[in-house]
Amino acid sequence: GAVVSQHPSWVICKSGTSVKIECRSLDFQATTMFWYRQFPKQSLMLMATSNEGSKATYEQGVEKDKFLINHASLTLSTLTVTSAHPEDSSFYICSAVGNQETQYFGPGTRLLVL
Amino acid sequence: AQSVTQLGSHVSVSEGALVLLRCNYSSSVPPYLFWYVQYPNQGLQLLLKYTTGATLVKGINGFEAEFKKSETSFHLTKPSAHMSDAAEYFCAVSDYGQAGTALIFGKGTTLSVSS
């Protein structure tokens, strides 16, 4: 149990296009999901907190108009990178809060912007 | 504000040897502490967590960690390393000192295991 999926696992796009990443909790409901970003050989940095039915809360320095987050249901949160540029290339990981307040992480999405 | 420091970005051990990965934290509230493992190009898997209660926490794959408030530490150990333990390990503290809130991660420690 407590599985979180992400789709796609890999995406390559051209500069200026938008990319949507989905995060799903497969066997539990999550009112709260988190989006993290990880650069190569570095740690995870929190980007935003996604709450079902309300606006996401963004960390300082994260552009909310560039990284659009929608948490439309208790099992799905989406992150859309708008007008992507090469510097947005990264590994994006989501997590969902499940039973006993434990966070379960998705497998990550690697984004490469050319 | 909470923070996590992992001492040693890279630890190398021989198969069968003791594994010790160090983690120190800073928190203004009682911390909830976690260890996660990450294999290449994958997400994070929870090894163990400390919230309240017993300070020695046992996790999966033979790992355990001890919460020492006086030392503000939460070091991860395993008595005998296996080749499959080679991975990246992250120590984390929960923001606001509550489980279920966003995590603040250390920079990670790469564990290498040689035969």
Side-chain angles (χ1 to χ4, degrees):
Chain A
V3 176
V4 176
S5 70
Q6 281 185 242
H7 178 80
S9 56
W10 262 99
V11 58
I12 301 174
C13 67
K14 293 182 179 180
S15 185
T17 61
S18 294
V19 175
K20 180 184 283 187
I21 302 170
E22 293 186 348
C23 176
R24 293 182 184 272
S25 56
L26 297 185
D27 49 4
F28 65 100
Q29 293 183 331
T31 55
T32 302
M33 293 184 175
F34 300 100
W35 287 95
Y36 296 85
R37 184 174 180 176
Q38 184 181 30
F39 290 103
K41 304 295 184 182
Q42 295 188 31
S43 189
L44 282 75
M45 299 297 293
L46 179 67
M47 297 177 65
T49 302
S50 173
N51 293 301
E52 187 269 336
S54 63
K55 290 184 178 180
T57 303
Y58 291 83
E59 295 300 297
Q60 191 173 10
V62 177
E63 299 176 59
K64 63 179 181 181
D65 294 330
K66 181 169 189 60
F67 298 99
L68 301 178
I69 291 173
N70 185 285
H71 195 152
S73 77
L74 289 172
T75 60
L76 174 64
S77 175
T78 60
L79 168 67
T80 301
V81 183
T82 63
S83 186
H85 288 91
E87 58 266 30
D88 299 324
S89 299
S90 190
F91 194 48
Y92 293 89
I93 303 177
C94 72
S95 70
V97 180
N99 290 337
Q100 299 181 348
E101 302 289 306
T102 297
Q103 278 194 48
Y104 298 95
F105 284 81
T109 296
R110 190 163 299 283
L111 170 63
L112 177 61
V113 184
L114 303 177
Chain B
Q2 282 139 310
S3 65
V4 174
T5 301
Q6 290 183 240
L7 300 175
S9 60
H10 199 155
V11 171
S12 297
V13 299
S14 299
E15 192 172 22
L18 171 71
V19 175
L20 171 61
L21 304 183
R22 300 177 186 273
C23 172
N24 288 88
Y25 70 90
S26 172
S27 177
S28 58
V29 298
Y32 285 14
L33 296 158
F34 307 81
W35 275 100
Y36 285 88
V37 61
Q38 184 181 36
Y39 296 98
N41 296 312
Q42 295 187 28
L44 275 69
Q45 180 182 11
L46 179 67
L47 282 176
L48 48 80
K49 65 178 180 180
Y50 168 80
T51 53
T52 58
T55 56
L56 181 61
V57 181
K58 294 186 183 298
I60 62 172
N61 301 338
F63 285 95
E64 63 181 36
E66 186 171 10
F67 169 62
K68 291 187 177 181
K69 184 178 179 181
S70 61
E71 299 177 7
T72 61
S73 69
F74 191 58
H75 301 329
L76 182 71
T77 60
K78 182 175 180 177
S80 177
H82 191 273
M83 296 293 285
S84 60
D85 295 327
E88 189 80 11
Y89 291 80
F90 292 97
C91 181
V93 62
S94 63
D95 204 3
Y96 308 121
Q98 299 178 38
T101 58
L103 297 178
I104 298 167
F105 287 88
K107 293 188 175 182
T109 298
T110 302
L111 175 65
S112 299
V113 182
S114 59
S115 58

